[in-house]
Amino acid sequence: MVEGPRPFAHLNAPNAGLYRAVMGAIVAAKRRFAVHMRPEDVHEAMVRRTGSAPDLAEITAALASLEEWGNLRADPDTSRVTTVEDFHRARYLYQLTRHGEAAEEALAAYDEALGRRGALQAVALADIATQLRALLGLAEQPEPDAAKVHLLLRGLVDRFTDLAGNAQAFMGSLQRSIDLHDAEVDAFLAYKDRLIDYLERFIADLLTTGSEIAALIGSVERAGVGRLLDLAARREAADAAPGADGEDDPRAREFERLAVLWRERWDGFRAWFVSEPQHPSQAKLLRSQARAAIPQLLAVVSALNERRSGRSDRSADFRTLATWFAQAPDDAAMHRLWRSVFGLSSARHLTVDEETLTEREDHPVAPGTPWAQAPPLRISPRLRKTGSYERRGKPNRVVDRSELRRQLAELAAREAEETAAARAALTTSRPTRLGDLGPLDPAAFRLFLTLLGEALAARRPGQRGVVTTTTDGSMAIELSVVDNAEPVEIHTPHGVFRGPDHLVEIIDLTAEPAREQSA
């Protein structure tokens, strides 16, 4: 039975590093349009790449093994044959096979995915919004240009795919940075300030631009996005090659396949920016992950600072104690260390009276006597029952505070209802201007002032947007600066609140998820 190609066998073989270096030299030569390589060429290329290389015999043996596994193809090298002896001597030219080239491409993609750090691309959000505005303009035309629609949708898919992939890679690398902060403490401390600023800028951009993208998606769908997707699918299907099964028009079947594919792409794109009941958008989840990463980073920095200042956690203490036990010279030193660290001694509530001491002097008990063979220790029944030798006096009368507890429960319930009503009055389903909040009752206005004060206190100079939560974690507020904002008024029973207009989104974190049309 003939064994098929095994292009990945060299990864687990001895001298795998040599095989990878040889294949790397051949792949690099192929990028320079070199088709065939002799062993001498491979040796020279490895010297140029790394500055050193194994001898020619080892490289020749490695090439033969790779040819056996199917990574390379060997052709007789007759270009330098001048005698019959040269003709019978084994000389080969090596080139990549289809299996070997596919394996190298797979390994390159694997290495790239492992080393990819990703990024939070705020610029991509602006590009997506620009392309959606152009797509909306085409959707509103009676007969949109199919070429323009196709190019816009292709650019939108490419930009969105890049955005989603980079964001996923960045959040994964960010979590690894948080989990592995012990590796390089100084580098982590220098990196965290820039990283927090980077996260805050992206959260602000995702809040504002993401809301605009969600609104544009709705406008495009109302204008008829299905017609645009069919135009793109029909334009791609026009290049379908004729089939071998005698099909009259293979473009029709290709159009059906591409129409389904484009609708799946649009549904995935829409789910990334538009929330549904019980299904928050991916942009909203990404924003939550980015917000959660900031306190995690700060907690790591706090732990590092405590460790640097000499404070240690319990796990570090136990590891140090284990080291001391391992370094103790004998059992007696271990027992002294044990008593010093844990302070375990006899029960303090068991007192020894004169009668017991006299009994021990008359009949001493060796320390090594098993407890089952030692004389019993007499304990007073009162001590066994109450834990004390002395009889306590009559306890004080218990004051009946049931009426006070009832009044407090009613007051707490009333305050909880007022707070819930205030949260419901302030909660917004999308970013809203301050001037649109409308009249507020006293409870809602007090809660609004608290939220506004926390947001303004958290915003730093020069920062356009801020996201913060209340101290009890029940509500979140996202506040953004509005360019050329005019003064607004909010009417309350106690007066009128005036101030510059802002874009605000207030979220009740205790309520059930509602239908949202914002990212």
Side-chain angles (χ1 to χ4, degrees):
M1 181 177 179
V2 179
E3 188 176 3
R6 295 182 296 138
F8 295 100
H10 65 286
L11 299 178
N12 296 323
N15 296 327
L18 174 60
Y19 297 128
R20 294 293 296 130
V22 170
M23 291 298 294
I26 296 177
V27 170
K30 188 178 185 300
R31 289 197 296 266
R32 298 192 300 271
F33 308 104
V35 179
H36 297 89
M37 293 190 73
R38 299 182 178 90
E40 297 85 352
D41 300 332
V42 176
H43 181 272
E44 182 181 352
M46 292 176 65
V47 172
R48 286 197 306 267
R49 284 165 59 90
T50 62
S52 62
D55 56 34
L56 189 58
E58 294 184 22
I59 294 177
T60 303
L63 290 169
S65 298
L66 290 168
E67 188 268 337
E68 181 182 353
W69 290 322
N71 299 77
L72 301 176
R73 192 185 77 185
D75 298 320
D77 182 10
T78 60
S79 60
R80 294 180 295 173
V81 173
T82 58
T83 64
V84 176
E85 290 77 7
D86 290 338
F87 181 81
H88 291 287
R89 185 179 297 117
R91 296 175 184 270
Y92 294 102
L93 291 171
Y94 293 93
Q95 67 173 351
L96 282 171
T97 63
R98 182 164 52 90
H99 300 285
E101 186 172 1
E104 290 302 310
E105 291 177 357
L107 292 172
Y110 179 77
D111 292 338
E112 181 183 359
L114 286 184
R116 185 180 183 185
R117 292 188 57 192
L120 299 177
Q121 297 174 314
V123 177
L125 293 172
D127 294 344
I128 290 173
T130 301
Q131 290 171 328
L132 281 174
R133 284 192 290 268
L135 193 64
L136 178 60
L138 291 174
E140 293 173 347
Q141 296 178 5
E143 296 293 335
D145 189 335
K148 293 181 179 179
V149 170
H150 184 221
L151 290 176
L152 276 175
L153 286 174
R154 291 294 304 178
L156 188 65
V157 168
D158 294 341
R159 205 71 177 104
F160 168 69
T161 303
D162 191 40
L163 168 68
N166 274 280
Q168 181 180 4
F170 177 83
M171 296 309 297
S173 63
L174 174 62
Q175 190 60 49
R176 288 193 296 271
S177 299
I178 295 174
D179 295 339
L180 303 177
H181 61 272
D182 288 332
E184 297 180 1
V185 175
D186 294 332
F188 182 83
L189 292 176
Y191 166 66
K192 59 94 179 174
D193 288 332
R194 299 192 302 272
L195 182 59
I196 290 176
D197 291 338
Y198 182 73
L199 289 172
E200 289 178 343
R201 287 197 306 271
F202 179 75
I203 291 171
D205 291 335
L206 186 60
L207 174 63
T208 56
T209 311
S211 300
E212 181 184 2
I213 291 174
L216 286 170
I217 290 174
S219 301
V220 172
E221 290 180 341
R222 287 189 295 271
V225 69
R227 180 169 56 113
L228 303 180
L229 298 176
D230 288 342
L231 285 175
R234 187 169 288 106
R235 190 168 188 268
E236 289 186 357
D239 294 331
D245 54 356
E247 183 182 4
D248 294 336
D249 188 7
R251 292 176 295 181
R253 186 171 60 182
E254 185 68 9
F255 168 74
E256 294 177 358
R257 185 186 69 83
L258 291 173
V260 173
L261 177 62
W262 274 107
R263 278 169 172 77
E264 290 177 351
R265 289 172 176 172
W266 180 263
D267 291 341
F269 173 69
R270 183 183 188 279
W272 218 87
F273 290 100
V274 181
S275 297
E276 296 290 343
Q278 307 298 328
H279 294 286
S281 64
Q282 293 297 316
K284 196 176 188 69
L285 295 176
L286 176 62
R287 194 173 63 200
S288 301
Q289 291 179 356
R291 281 202 306 260
I294 295 177
Q296 291 179 7
L297 285 169
L298 297 178
V300 170
V301 173
S302 177
L304 292 176
N305 289 332
E306 289 181 358
R307 193 169 302 170
R308 283 187 161 192
S309 63
R311 298 179 60 181
S312 60
D313 53 15
R314 183 174 299 177
S315 60
D317 293 341
F318 279 121
R319 286 194 295 269
T320 303
L321 181 60
T323 303
W324 291 350
F325 273 108
Q327 296 174 350
D330 49 30
D331 290 344
M334 290 184 184
H335 287 298
R336 288 195 300 270
L337 179 60
W338 175 273
R339 288 192 296 270
S340 300
V341 172
F342 297 102
L344 297 179
S345 56
S346 59
R348 298 178 181 177
H349 64 279
L350 294 177
T351 58
V352 179
D353 52 14
E354 293 294 333
E355 182 179 355
T356 303
L357 293 176
T358 303
E359 179 69 19
R360 289 293 177 87
E361 290 178 357
D362 296 340
H363 303 88
V365 180
T369 303
W371 65 270
Q373 301 176 8
L377 179 65
R378 306 296 179 181
I379 300 176
S380 168
R382 183 178 291 116
L383 174 64
R384 181 181 180 86
K385 183 177 181 179
T386 65
S388 174
Y389 279 110
E390 299 178 358
R391 182 177 180 180
R392 295 187 177 92
K394 184 178 180 180
N396 297 329
R397 291 187 59 186
V398 178
V399 179
D400 185 8
R401 292 188 171 86
S402 58
E403 181 65 20
L404 294 177
R405 286 196 296 270
R406 186 187 62 80
Q407 294 177 2
L408 289 175
E410 292 178 355
L411 179 61
R414 187 164 58 252
E415 291 179 350
E417 292 176 357
E418 293 178 354
T419 303
R423 285 202 300 265
L426 289 177
T427 301
T428 61
S429 60
R430 60 178 60 86
T432 308
R433 291 181 178 270
L434 287 180
D436 297 335
L437 290 180
L440 299 176
D441 57 36
F445 184 65
R446 285 195 300 270
L447 181 58
F448 168 73
L449 287 181
T450 301
L451 290 169
L452 186 61
E454 292 185 358
L456 293 176
R459 189 174 69 184
R460 290 185 289 185
Q463 189 177 9
R464 294 184 58 83
V466 66
V467 180
T468 187
T469 59
T470 56
T471 54
D472 59 356
S474 61
M475 300 196 74
I477 179 171
E478 301 178 0
L479 188 68
S480 303
V481 176
V482 177
D483 295 331
N484 302 321
E486 298 181 357
V488 296
E489 295 182 353
I490 299 177
H491 295 271
T492 70
H494 299 293
V496 180
F497 176 81
R498 296 181 177 87
D501 199 3
H502 283 72
L503 193 65
V504 62
E505 182 178 0
I506 301 175
I507 304 170
D508 186 1
L509 301 178
T510 63
E512 292 293 330
R515 179 179 181 87
E516 296 173 313
Q517 292 299 326
S518 61

